[in-house]
Amino acid sequence: MFKKNKEKSSGTSIAVKTLKYFIPIAWKLHKGYFFVSLLKTIVDAVQPFVSIIVSPLIIAELLGERNIEKLILYTAVIAVGSNLLSLAGSQLGVIIEKYSEKFDNYFSVQMGRRVMEMDFQHTEDKRALDQVEAANTGMSWYSGGVVGICSPFFEMISNILKILGSVTLIAVYAPVLFLITAVVVAVKVFVTNKTNKIEIEAHKGLSKLNRVFGYYGFTLTDFRYGKDIRLYGAGDMMLGKWNSVTHEQISHWAKRANSELPWDHVSNGFGVARDIASYLYLGILVLTGSITIPVFTQMLSAGSAFQSSMSALLWNVQNIVKRTNYAYEYIKLMEYPAAIEKGSRHVKNIDHTIEFRNVSFTYPNTDVKVLDGVSITLHQGEHLSVVGLNGAGKTTFVKLLCRLYDPTDGEILLDGIDIKEYDYSEYMNIFSPVFQDFRLFAFSINENIILDNVNDAQNNVDGIIEQVGLKEKVDSLEKGSGTMLFKSFDENGIEPSGGEQQKIAIARALYKKAPVVILDEPTAALDPVAEYDIYRHFDTLVGGKTAIYISHRLSSCKFCDRIAVFSEGRIKEYGTHEELVEIDGGVYSEMFRAQARYYN
Ligand code: ADP
């Protein structure tokens, strides 16, 4: 059995909250959907009664006068009436499908926007990633989206109309049939309730498995991983891992199916008992002359219609609860609590001073202090080189500055004010970072550089392309900077080398024209000539901007005003290149000497 849902809110209160959230949005987006659905509801409700009412008339005619004209008329009413209504129902169903697509598109875009705007910290948090997955699957095939949530409502109305019609007929001729059917329906209510709970719990457990499964599927079919997978012979290992997740998924489903099976047997058993009791009761009524044979057949159809509509009604109610509970995951994602504090203070348009005041930091869910009492001040236009061994905390220092995380202790100040007090996007706007793991998109070179920062004429892009040493490459391309990167969507797209990718990323940072440029290992993928070129033009590239430059290659430190040497989360040495090489046994002087050997 699956564990009980620990969430405090009940399924019903979640359903109400979810409906309150989605229906006003859906109404605002496409009112037509509600009108078409209502029309379909009425058509669906009327359809079965054509046959229920007219069929006994045919039987009565056959047993009595056998008037051919009447028989033809009744048959025609059933054939044409039923078919026309069914046709109208299907046609309306197609229109509803189109609305469903429109709603799905809208909510997918909203979800994409939310994920893009989530605090960066969440992108490294398992719970947040699981929430994204739960929202994704919950809002798509599990709930069927807005139409999936609303359609049970309309079906409910249709079923209530059918119940009223069939109960009226039954009450007149065979009231006990109503009781027999009601008992079976009550059992079905109980059973469906049980199986729904099992299903919802199963979905919760599956979110993580689905995410892992998706990761393997994505990695194995993504060409970019192809080199490593082939050369390291990782194919079997990856398939093995994929296989094991698949088995876990299957056993999860099997567990669910096994939990549901006994309840299915109970429900089927009561179904059989109902059939026996109904035939027995109606047979006795015919034999005792209480009802005629046409009424006998009518009661059978009305009884079936009553039971199926009752079961459907119940299914509708439970479906609303079930589907809204799945869709609720979307609301949870939309309302996912922020990871960092955000203020409203405006960033002043002045020369900025950045100060780390005794900043310490431990990554969430870990207990190692990655930064430990870091204090440093950086004035506008200063160029700071940050060096240190791998894992010393250099990138974390930059992540804190860019507010991807908040310090655990101490504070970071911009122009004397804690950065938490500033409007988040205004604050982010002062930085142009190039991270080690920057990403380029399958867009044109131009679009990769400009992104959302359209601020100048094309000239500017061309100038920057030249500054970062990409002019020759771009000029050699037929479509110049309009050339697409990668072959994902364009067979003429180029596959830039690591160095070229890095240059495009640097061009993107420079184009943004933010006053603080952060380059984290910006030349790691460049050849020595290209690296030298970037260094040579560093002042032109960065100009009067503040620059933080993280690099393993200490030759880059020569053109920075100050160097901060990070070691085990602390700034161990701080000064100019000339000052630091003089420190006997110092971290910097050791590193410099070791590297100088290669450069000499
Ligand atoms: P550097 O840039 O100097 O190589 P980092 O700042 O990237 O060092 O990392 C410092 C330490 O923090 C390393 O031990 C690294 O494993 C750890 N670390 C980095 N990112 C995370 C993270 N998201 N969660 C937990 N630990 C992390």
Side-chain angles (χ1 to χ4, degrees):
M1 277 286 187
F2 290 91
K3 277 190 203 140
K4 280 241 176 237
N5 178 6
K6 284 198 191 110
E7 222 164 285
K8 284 208 184 75
S9 338
S10 71
T12 323
S13 73
I14 289 177
V16 172
K17 193 172 171 196
T18 309
L19 291 168
K20 271 190 183 163
Y21 182 93
F22 282 109
I23 290 180
I25 301 178
W27 175 255
K28 216 164 136 195
L29 286 174
H30 303 292
K31 294 184 181 58
Y33 161 70
F34 292 92
F35 296 120
V36 174
S37 296
L38 201 62
L39 194 59
K40 186 171 185 314
T41 304
I42 295 166
V43 169
D44 287 349
V46 172
Q47 201 204 352
F49 285 97
V50 177
S51 157
I52 292 178
I53 291 171
V54 184
S55 293
L57 296 180
I58 296 179
I59 297 172
E61 204 53 45
L62 286 171
L63 293 174
E65 290 176 22
R66 299 188 181 178
N67 181 323
I68 295 292
E69 277 170 21
K70 278 189 181 171
L71 282 170
I72 293 176
L73 177 71
Y74 294 150
T75 317
V77 169
I78 291 188
V80 177
S82 249
N83 281 318
L84 274 185
L85 287 172
S86 152
L87 203 74
S90 312
Q91 201 60 39
L92 293 169
V94 170
I95 301 176
I96 291 173
E97 268 301 305
K98 286 186 191 157
Y99 279 118
S100 175
E101 283 294 315
K102 289 182 188 174
F103 284 128
D104 286 352
N105 282 348
Y106 173 81
F107 286 102
S108 298
V109 170
Q110 297 307 312
M111 205 152 19
R113 187 192 298 273
R114 175 73 184 111
V115 172
M116 277 192 290
E117 289 172 357
M118 264 172 110
D119 289 336
F120 175 82
Q121 187 168 324
H122 291 320
T123 64
E124 297 182 335
D125 176 358
K126 195 184 93 31
R127 266 175 317 172
L129 296 177
D130 283 343
Q131 186 57 55
V132 173
E133 173 66 23
N136 229 332
T137 52
M139 199 52 195
S140 51
W141 66 78
Y142 282 109
S143 71
V146 167
V147 169
I149 301 168
C150 294
S151 59
F153 261 120
F154 293 107
E155 287 163 18
M156 233 167 88
I157 299 174
S158 164
N159 284 318
I160 290 173
L161 292 176
K162 284 187 212 168
I163 290 166
L164 289 179
S166 49
V167 166
T168 311
L169 287 173
I170 293 170
V172 175
Y173 298 107
V176 176
L177 186 62
F178 173 76
L179 278 182
I180 298 172
T181 315
V183 170
V184 178
V185 169
V187 172
K188 290 214 173 214
V189 172
F190 182 73
V191 169
T192 317
N193 204 3
K194 289 275 174 204
T195 50
N196 271 344
K197 278 187 183 154
I198 294 171
E199 208 175 302
I200 289 174
E201 286 309 316
H203 171 245
K204 284 184 181 150
L206 267 178
S207 289
K208 184 189 162 211
L209 281 178
N210 283 342
R211 193 160 63 76
V212 179
F213 182 83
Y215 175 77
Y216 288 126
F218 172 77
T219 310
L220 286 177
T221 50
D222 186 345
F223 290 123
R224 280 173 301 175
Y225 292 95
K227 274 198 293 312
D228 296 284
I229 289 179
R230 279 170 186 74
L231 288 166
Y232 287 98
D236 285 344
M237 177 253 210
M238 297 290 282
L239 282 174
K241 278 182 181 278
W242 201 10
N243 229 346
S244 104
V245 179
T246 312
H247 279 117
E248 256 189 88
Q249 267 182 325
I250 293 172
S251 82
H252 207 81
W253 281 115
K255 215 159 126 190
R256 174 190 145 182
N258 287 337
S259 306
E260 287 181 359
L261 198 61
W263 296 112
D264 288 343
H265 289 330
V266 171
S267 171
N268 290 335
F270 270 83
V272 173
R274 182 207 87 107
D275 284 348
I276 297 170
S278 311
Y279 277 99
L280 215 65
Y281 167 60
L282 291 174
I284 291 170
L285 287 186
V286 173
L287 292 177
T288 55
S290 304
I291 58 171
T292 61
I293 290 182
V295 174
F296 172 83
T297 59
Q298 189 175 49
M299 285 305 101
L300 280 180
S301 338
S304 299
F306 172 59
Q307 194 200 315
S308 60
S309 314
M310 271 308 271
S311 304
L313 180 67
L314 158 76
W315 188 80
N316 296 146
V317 173
Q318 290 175 332
N319 233 354
I320 292 172
V321 175
K322 189 169 78 178
R323 292 185 184 181
T324 46
N325 273 263
Y326 288 140
Y328 185 62
E329 299 295 337
Y330 171 91
I331 303 177
K332 272 162 74 182
L333 175 69
M334 288 300 172
E335 294 174 355
Y336 207 84
I340 55 173
E341 281 178 52
K342 289 171 190 149
S344 55
R345 198 183 269 273
H346 293 296
V347 174
K348 287 195 187 130
N349 196 6
I350 52 171
D351 281 353
H352 297 300
T353 302
I354 294 167
E355 184 186 352
F356 273 61
R357 198 178 281 173
N358 210 13
V359 170
S360 297
F361 181 70
T362 305
Y363 277 101
N365 309 319
T366 65
D367 45 17
V368 180
K369 245 189 195 178
V370 172
L371 291 184
D372 186 6
V374 169
S375 294
I376 190 168
T377 303
L378 200 61
H379 298 284
Q380 179 72 44
E382 273 183 5
H383 297 168
L384 174 75
S385 181
V386 176
V387 300
L389 299 176
N390 277 337
K394 306 182 293 292
T395 301
T396 307
F397 168 74
V398 165
K399 280 185 181 169
L400 294 194
L401 179 59
C402 293
R403 293 224 63 197
L404 301 186
Y405 290 91
D406 276 342
T408 321
D409 278 309
E411 48 184 4
I412 304 171
L413 310 165
L414 175 75
D415 305 326
I417 288 160
D418 193 324
I419 58 175
K420 290 177 188 168
E421 291 184 27
Y422 287 107
D423 174 89
Y424 186 69
S425 57
E426 269 188 42
Y427 177 76
M428 296 297 260
N429 253 338
I430 71 166
F431 297 103
S432 281
V434 181
F435 288 106
Q436 281 172 40
D437 53 355
F438 66 85
R439 284 273 182 270
L440 298 183
F441 303 101
F443 304 153
S444 69
I445 298 177
N446 256 332
E447 286 171 313
N448 265 288
I449 295 173
I450 297 173
L451 291 181
D452 219 6
N453 306 304
V454 186
N455 57 16
D456 247 325
Q458 178 67 30
N459 276 345
N460 193 11
V461 181
D462 293 342
I464 288 172
I465 285 177
E466 189 168 358
Q467 278 178 34
V468 297
L470 268 177
K471 183 172 164 39
E472 218 174 297
K473 172 77 187 178
V474 168
D475 285 349
S476 74
L477 301 168
E478 200 181 318
K479 289 190 188 163
S481 56
T483 306
M484 291 290 276
L485 291 190
F486 315 117
K487 299 200 181 290
S488 317
F489 307 117
D490 182 353
E491 59 182 25
N492 298 319
I494 55 161
E495 290 290 338
S497 69
E500 285 161 356
Q501 293 195 32
Q502 213 152 20
K503 286 176 180 175
I504 296 173
I506 295 174
R508 176 192 286 171
L510 297 177
Y511 182 84
K512 191 179 165 192
K513 287 194 163 173
V516 183
V517 179
I518 296 169
L519 302 171
D520 187 356
E521 296 279 1
T523 56
L526 300 185
D527 59 58
V529 179
E531 185 188 0
Y532 175 70
D533 247 18
I534 294 268
Y535 288 171
R536 206 159 46 100
H537 294 122
F538 188 71
D539 274 334
T540 344
L541 283 175
V542 174
K545 295 171 185 169
T546 306
I548 299 175
Y549 200 96
I550 301 181
S551 179
H552 275 305
R553 317 219 184 154
L554 301 191
S555 48
S556 64
C557 296
K558 287 186 182 166
F559 53 82
C560 285
D561 307 305
R562 290 272 183 286
I563 300 156
V565 183
F566 275 68
S567 174
E568 294 171 350
R570 291 169 164 271
I571 298 183
K572 279 276 160 64
E573 292 163 22
Y574 179 68
T576 62
H577 169 74
E578 288 71 25
E579 286 164 1
L580 298 188
V581 277
E582 290 306 318
I583 302 177
D584 237 4
V587 182
Y588 185 82
S589 61
E590 293 276 310
M591 282 170 80
F592 188 73
R593 258 171 231 127
Q595 289 192 10
R597 229 180 289 146
Y598 297 108
Y599 286 104
N600 289 339

